[in-house]
């Protein structure tokens, strides 16, 4: 690492890898991408050309062996994350990894132990924490602006379900979709969840049920501090990407609504209307993707803690596994039943 400049290797040139590459190449002068790799070499070549990346590596091992690489962005498929975190840590690289680390707690713990032993930095890609609207909600809770929180409601609905091929390997809705909301719940309230209950079903596509998943759910969370939270998920909302939060406190409430491509309201004799919300996460959370990488780069350069650490990556998986158990067994499940300890360190 040259003074005030971080040299980055990217593993994975798919949708999110491309977003991160563009962020670094065109918006983060403090960092430089020196190499990229993907199992689809053509995809890596395309991103390299677009972003001026000088090297397309044949494998992740080649990137990790490169002494000119200070940090890696792990943007590959979920089933590779834990192993790559361990390999990157042993290679002495700082790590930014997309969520989730893994679907298996033993694999997560092994990866986090490797990071601890190596003394490298790790940040997990829960980008919604960096959304300006949700950050404002968090601030209202932290400062006591709305008093003591009592109720929290998160609405997270996708415009359309993902392909069945993805659903079959994603770990299920709680671990591929709700996991973001589990992280947001902890982030916004600033406390840990003790207990989870789920009501859910297959209401969008019977093929999703045939694949062993569900597509519609309401999750009830009970926090240690007494706050009651609800998460409302559906894999299909006809009007687009629905991302809202509300928290009720003893002195008032705060809410964050959807984002729109413009603020125009059209009023006629028959209706008052506005355009539909931004259609999907790549549009809705574009700024937050940039902000999370900026924080990671600054944490490495200035030797600060990362804002979303390994434990922050582990706990939402515990919550997801507890939600699966609650749905399957039709009962409330305490997180301690799933993870031997929620906060280990």
């Amino acid at each position: 690492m040259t003074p005030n400049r971080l040299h980055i290797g990217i593993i994975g040139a798919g949708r999110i890898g491309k977003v991160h590459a563009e962020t670094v190449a065109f918006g983060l002068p403090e960092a430089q991408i020196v190499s990229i790799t993907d199992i689809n070499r053509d995809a890596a070549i395309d991103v390299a050309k677009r972003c001026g990346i000088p090297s397309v590596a044949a494998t992740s091992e080649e990137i990790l062996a490169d002494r000119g690489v200070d940090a890696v962005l792990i943007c590959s498929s979920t089933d590779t994350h834990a192993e790559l975190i361990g390999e990157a840590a042993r290679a002495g690289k700082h790590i930014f990894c997309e969520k989730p680390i893994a679907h298996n707690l033993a694999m997560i713990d092994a990866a986090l132990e490797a990071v601890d032993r190596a003394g490298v930095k790790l940040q997990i890609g829960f980008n919604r924490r960096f959304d300006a609207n949700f950050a404002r909600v968090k601030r209202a809770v932290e400062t006591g602006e709305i008093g003591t929180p009592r109720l929290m409601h998160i609405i997270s609905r996708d415009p359309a379900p993902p392909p069945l091929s993805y659903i079959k390997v994603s770990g299920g809705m709680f671990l591929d979709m709700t996991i973001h909301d589990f992280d947001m719940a902890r982030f916004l309230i600033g406390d840990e969840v003790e207990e989870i209950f789920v009501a859910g079903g297959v209401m969008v596509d019977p093929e999703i049920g045939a694949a062993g998943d569900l597509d519609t759910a309401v999750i009830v969370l009970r926090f240690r501090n007494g706050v009651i939270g609800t998460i409302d998920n559906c894999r299909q909302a006809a009007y687009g990407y629905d991302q809202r939060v509300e928290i009720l406190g003893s002195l008032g409430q705060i809410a964050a609504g959807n984002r729109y491509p413009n603020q125009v309201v059209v009023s006629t004799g028959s209706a008052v209307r506005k355009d539909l919300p931004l259609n999907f996460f790549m549009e809705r959370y574009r700024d937050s993707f940039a902000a999370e990488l900026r924080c990671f780069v600054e944490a490495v350069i200035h030797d600060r803690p990362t804002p979303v650490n390994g434990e922050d990556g582990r706990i939402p998986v515990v919550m997801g596994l507890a939600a699966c158990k609650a749905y399957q067994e039709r009962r409330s499940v305490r997180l301690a039943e799933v993870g031997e300890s929620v906060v280990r360190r």
Side-chain angles (χ1 to χ4, degrees), residues 248-271:
L248 175 69
S250 57
L251 299 179
Q253 67 102 15
I254 187 166
N258 286 317
R259 285 192 167 182
Y260 295 83
N262 59 68
Q263 299 301 312
V264 172
V265 176
V266 180
S267 302
T268 68
S270 59

Side-chain angles (χ1 to χ4, degrees), residues 31-293:
Q32 177 186 8
I33 308 166
V34 297
S35 188
I36 187 168
T37 189
D38 192 279
I39 56 173
N40 180 345
R41 185 170 176 81
D42 288 341
I45 290 171
D46 287 345
V47 175
K49 288 179 179 177
R50 161 100 175 118
C51 298
I53 301 170
S55 173
V56 176
T59 63
S60 59
E61 289 82 3
E62 184 178 330
I63 286 182
L64 296 178
D66 187 344
R67 293 187 178 182
V69 171
D70 306 310
V72 291
L73 309 185
I74 299 175
C75 308
S76 49
S77 60
T78 295
D79 60 334
T80 67
H81 290 179
E83 184 176 358
L84 284 171
I85 286 173
E87 291 173 358
R90 288 186 285 274
K93 312 299 185 187
H94 301 291
I95 306 155
F96 177 98
C97 183
E98 281 301 322
K99 62 80 195 168
I101 298 173
H103 298 146
N104 177 287
L105 293 181
M107 293 176 66
I108 293 174
D109 290 342
L112 298 188
E113 287 168 9
V115 169
D116 287 346
R117 285 196 301 270
V120 297
K121 297 187 185 298
L122 170 65
Q123 182 171 325
I124 304 301
F126 281 120
N127 64 289
R128 295 183 191 180
R129 292 183 177 217
F130 300 87
D131 176 79
N133 288 339
F134 295 155
R136 178 66 179 88
V137 174
K138 168 74 169 176
R139 201 156 59 246
V141 173
E142 282 185 329
T143 62
E145 185 178 358
I146 59 168
T148 302
R150 294 170 176 169
L151 293 172
M152 177 203 68
H153 186 48
I154 296 174
I155 295 172
S156 181
R157 304 165 184 162
D158 285 352
L164 284 171
S165 58
Y166 172 81
I167 286 173
K168 290 176 180 178
V169 299
S170 72
M173 188 171 78
F174 299 130
L175 290 171
D176 78 63
M177 180 179 177
T178 319
I179 192 167
H180 275 291
D181 305 310
F182 289 145
D183 178 67
M184 285 304 302
R186 297 180 60 240
F187 173 69
L188 294 174
I189 297 301
D191 196 31
E192 300 299 339
V193 170
E194 285 187 326
E195 194 172 7
I196 290 180
F197 178 78
V198 174
V202 180
M203 305 179 71
V204 174
D205 184 351
E207 291 297 320
I208 292 175
D213 200 7
L214 68 165
D215 54 38
T216 306
V218 173
I219 302 103
V220 180
L221 312 173
R222 185 176 293 278
F223 289 82
R224 290 186 309 195
N225 62 8
V227 173
I228 298 171
T230 54
I231 298 171
D232 163 346
N233 280 160
C234 188
R235 287 203 185 271
Q236 183 184 61
Y239 50 88
Y241 196 38
D242 195 353
Q243 298 283 289
R244 290 175 280 156
V245 166
E246 180 188 73
I247 297 178
L248 175 69
S250 57
L251 299 179
Q253 67 102 15
I254 187 166
N258 286 317
R259 285 192 167 182
Y260 295 83
N262 59 68
Q263 299 301 312
V264 172
V265 176
V266 180
S267 302
T268 68
S270 59
V272 176
R273 59 183 175 83
K274 64 193 305 183
D275 288 345
L276 295 175
L278 292 172
N279 190 56
F280 206 30
F281 73 93
M282 304 299 287
E283 300 168 312
R284 169 63 177 81
Y285 289 113
R286 185 175 300 278
D287 292 343
S288 69
F289 286 126
E292 66 175 350
L293 279 191

